């Protein structure tokens, strides 16, 4: 990013993009606040998911997922808010994203 300080002085700063949230097609919040996991071809792959709180603390992990579709109850997260996850296919990171669990009325 170029910033003009005065007529003949120029400051060069690295561009830092704002984080833009895009919902995952694999792990997302459902209608009632539960977490839906949709993993096509899960029987042939070696999927694992690690769930983190907003501060980056590991909450729990699901390993050796064989079902193509499953639901994780929202009570496993103990509070509403943003949570992060990492989806692995074997040892390779497939997706790193976040989801929101809304507060109940």
């Amino acid at each position: 990013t170029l910033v003009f300080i005065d007529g003949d002085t120029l400051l060069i700063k690295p561009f830092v993009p704002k984080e833009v949230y895009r919902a995952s097609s694999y792990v997302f919040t459902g209608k009632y606040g539960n977490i839906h996991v949709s993993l096509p071809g899960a029987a042939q792959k070696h999927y694992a998911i690690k769930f983190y709180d907003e501060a980056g603390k590991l909450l729990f992990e699901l390993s050796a997922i064989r079902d193509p579709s499953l639901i994780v109850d929202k009570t496993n997260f103990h509070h509403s808010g943003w949570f992060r996850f990492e989806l692995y296919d074997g040892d390779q990171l497939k997706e790193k994203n976040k989801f929101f669990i809304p507060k109940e009325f």
Side-chain angles (χ1 to χ4, degrees):
T1 304
L2 299 175
V3 179
F4 290 98
I5 301 207
D6 59 29
D8 56 344
T9 306
L10 187 67
L11 177 65
I12 300 173
K13 297 167 68 174
F15 176 71
V16 180
K18 292 182 181 179
E19 184 178 342
V20 177
Y21 173 69
R22 184 181 316 166
S24 170
S25 60
Y26 299 109
V27 180
F28 51 91
T29 307
K31 181 178 179 180
Y32 298 108
N34 293 318
I35 306 308
H36 293 255
V37 179
S38 177
L39 301 171
Q44 295 83 22
K45 304 215 179 198
H46 299 93
Y47 286 120
I49 304 174
K50 293 181 181 182
F51 293 98
Y52 301 89
D53 64 8
E54 187 63 24
K57 179 183 170 194
L58 179 65
L59 298 174
F60 61 94
E61 179 178 352
L62 301 175
S63 58
I65 301 170
R66 296 289 177 212
D67 293 326
S69 179
L70 61 100
I71 297 174
V72 179
D73 194 87
K74 63 184 171 185
T75 58
N76 290 305
F77 296 93
H78 302 294
H79 63 84
S80 63
W82 286 100
F83 294 89
R84 298 189 176 275
F85 71 89
E86 293 176 352
L87 174 63
Y88 291 91
D89 183 1
D91 291 334
Q92 186 172 353
L93 180 65
K94 184 173 180 79
E95 182 179 26
K96 187 175 184 177
N97 206 336
K98 63 183 180 177
F99 57 88
F100 184 76
I101 297 178
K103 191 180 274 191
E104 295 206 34
F105 305 134

